[in-house]
């Protein structure tokens, strides 16, 4: 079973996504619904998907659960809670714990003015809530500083399971891999830190699987297939050629792995990490 561990859907008539208003995102500043995804997933042979939040807002999270209720292909929902307001976060987690398909939490830390937002004491209280309740955390590491925080969080919250979205944004197309290489190695030292092979968009328009291969191979070396998972990052992937192009490139690179390892990255890891198909008990 192939699981897309990083899918977004949004309805711009219902909700305003501030990051979509940026000029570079004009091509995807429209509604993308489940039917749009389903057609592409069928063509690629993708069976299920994890919906991941696209805004720091409870309305976006609620919209994802609406889609998940209606479509069995949606295996999990990674929603949002206000980690920097621990009391509200606790109440939100109480409600989410009883929702079928609740899989984890994410926040758009790269849109925070403070690059050290994750290390704030009040955010730490929110992360401690996730740790105690066994809720995994998706980490967006756009700046090297974001990725540098992951080992710190591993020490502070040793039972917190984290996954690095988009391989923590490697320096695609550059000869110099630092500081990403060193920082990723440090993050991967914690066996509870996973990563997504997703959102890998080389700068040149005519990119191919060969442009991704060295970064994916390095990630496999660090994490192993058992801590890596495929994600389309669609519909953001439309900016880099679309679902099929991203799927073809990643599956081509992974096709060089032994079948069991390939199956892990294409579904097995996501099912274990997000506990897909398992109902989380009320807390």
């Amino acid at each position: 079973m192939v699981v897309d561990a990083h899918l977004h859907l949004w309805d711009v008539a219902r909700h305003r996504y501030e990051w979509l208003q940026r000029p570079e995102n004009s091509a995807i500043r429209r509604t993308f619904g489940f039917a749009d995804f389903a057609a592409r997933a069928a063509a690629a042979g993708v069976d299920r998907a994890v919906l991941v939040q696209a805004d720091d807002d409870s309305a976006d999270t609620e919209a994802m659960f609406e889609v998940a209720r209606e479509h069995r292909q949606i295996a999990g929902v990674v929603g949002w809670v206000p980690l920097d307001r621990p009391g509200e976060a606790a109440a939100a987690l109480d409600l989410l714990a009883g929702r079928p398909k609740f899989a984890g939490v994410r926040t758009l830390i790269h849109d925070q003015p403070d690059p050290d937002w994750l290390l704030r004491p009040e955010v730490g209280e929110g992360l401690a809530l996730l740790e105690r309740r066994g809720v995994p955390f998706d980490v967006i590491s756009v700046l090297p500083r974001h990725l540098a925080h992951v080992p710190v969080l591993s020490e502070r919250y040793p039972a917190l399971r984290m996954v690095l979205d988009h391989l923590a944004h490697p320096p695609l197309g550059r000869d110099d891999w630092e500081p990403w290489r060193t920082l990723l190695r440090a993050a991967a030292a914690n066996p509870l830190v996973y990563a997504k092979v997703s959102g890998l968009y080389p700068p040149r328009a005519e990119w191919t699987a060969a442009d991704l291969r060295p970064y994916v191979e390095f990630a496999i070396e660090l994490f192993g297939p058992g801590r890596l998972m495929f994600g389309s990052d669609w519909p953001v992937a439309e900016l880099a050629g679309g679902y099929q192009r991203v799927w073809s490139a990643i599956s081509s690179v992974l096709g060089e792995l032994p079948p069991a390892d390939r199956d892990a990255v294409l579904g097995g890891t996501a099912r274990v990490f997000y506990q897909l198909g398992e109902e989380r008990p009320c807390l």
Side-chain angles (χ1 to χ4, degrees), residues 23-101:
E24 63 268 25
N25 294 326
S26 60
I28 55 173
R29 195 185 305 138
R30 65 176 180 85
T31 294
F32 289 91
F34 177 80
D36 300 306
F37 159 71
R40 291 165 173 80
V46 173
D47 302 294
R48 304 177 78 192
V50 176
L51 271 178
V52 178
Q53 63 96 232
D55 202 11
D56 289 351
D57 187 282
S58 58
D60 174 62
T61 296
E62 184 57 37
M64 290 190 294
F65 276 110
E66 289 178 12
V67 175
R69 282 195 299 269
E70 296 172 1
H71 303 284
R72 64 175 182 80
Q73 294 96 325
I74 301 301
V77 173
V78 175
W80 170 84
V81 301
L83 292 174
D84 55 348
R85 303 193 295 276
E88 293 179 36
L93 288 170
D94 287 341
L95 295 175
L96 290 173
R99 305 287 291 270
K101 301 185 181 181

Side-chain angles (χ1 to χ4, degrees), residues 77-80 96 101-106 135-138 274 280:
V77 173
V78 175
W80 170 84
L96 290 173
K101 301 185 181 181
F102 173 50
V105 162
R106 188 177 87 144
V135 177
F137 182 51
D138 270 56
Y274 285 124
R280 186 179 299 274

Side-chain angles (χ1 to χ4, degrees), residues 16-276:
R16 177 183 174 88
Y17 296 84
E18 290 300 330
W19 62 275
L20 275 179
Q21 311 313 311
R22 299 168 188 159
E24 63 268 25
N25 294 326
S26 60
I28 55 173
R29 195 185 305 138
R30 65 176 180 85
T31 294
F32 289 91
F34 177 80
D36 300 306
F37 159 71
R40 291 165 173 80
V46 173
D47 302 294
R48 304 177 78 192
V50 176
L51 271 178
V52 178
Q53 63 96 232
D55 202 11
D56 289 351
D57 187 282
S58 58
D60 174 62
T61 296
E62 184 57 37
M64 290 190 294
F65 276 110
E66 289 178 12
V67 175
R69 282 195 299 269
E70 296 172 1
H71 303 284
R72 64 175 182 80
Q73 294 96 325
I74 301 301
V77 173
V78 175
W80 170 84
V81 301
L83 292 174
D84 55 348
R85 303 193 295 276
E88 293 179 36
L93 288 170
D94 287 341
L95 295 175
L96 290 173
R99 305 287 291 270
K101 301 185 181 181
F102 173 50
V105 162
R106 188 177 87 144
T107 190
L108 304 182
I109 63 171
H110 59 303
D111 285 341
Q112 295 289 339
D114 180 6
D116 297 322
W117 185 84
L118 272 178
L119 300 185
R120 289 186 173 188
E122 64 274 20
V123 176
E125 292 183 45
L127 292 172
L129 284 172
L130 301 185
E131 180 189 32
R132 289 197 298 271
R133 298 177 183 226
V135 177
F137 182 51
D138 270 56
V139 182
I140 307 173
S141 301
V142 174
L143 300 176
R145 200 156 172 174
H146 296 146
L147 184 53
H149 293 335
V150 174
V152 178
L153 298 180
S154 294
E155 291 184 6
R156 292 182 180 179
Y157 317 103
L160 178 63
R161 290 180 295 127
M162 293 179 278
V163 57
L164 306 176
D165 292 345
H166 317 322
L167 286 186
H169 289 81
L172 298 171
R174 286 168 34 196
D175 293 332
D176 184 4
W177 285 17
E178 295 300 337
W180 174 79
R181 182 199 302 268
T182 297
L183 294 174
L184 192 69
R185 188 181 298 278
N190 179 359
L192 294 185
V193 173
Y194 291 58
K196 292 183 183 180
V197 182
S198 62
L200 305 177
Y201 309 131
R204 66 187 188 94
E206 300 304 317
W207 65 273
T208 68
D211 294 299
L212 307 184
R213 183 170 288 107
Y215 305 94
V216 176
E217 289 178 346
F218 180 63
I220 293 171
E221 172 192 329
L222 293 184
F223 293 92
R227 288 197 285 148
L228 289 176
M229 59 189 87
F230 155 73
S232 68
D233 192 32
W234 190 84
V236 179
E238 289 295 320
L239 300 175
Y243 199 105
Q244 185 61 48
R245 185 177 183 186
V246 168
W247 161 254
S248 296
I250 293 177
S251 60
S252 173
V253 174
L254 297 178
E256 300 172 11
L257 295 174
D261 291 348
R262 182 177 186 273
D263 289 347
V265 182
L266 290 180
T269 300
R271 293 199 302 272
V272 171
F273 181 82
Y274 285 124
Q275 299 178 17
L276 302 182

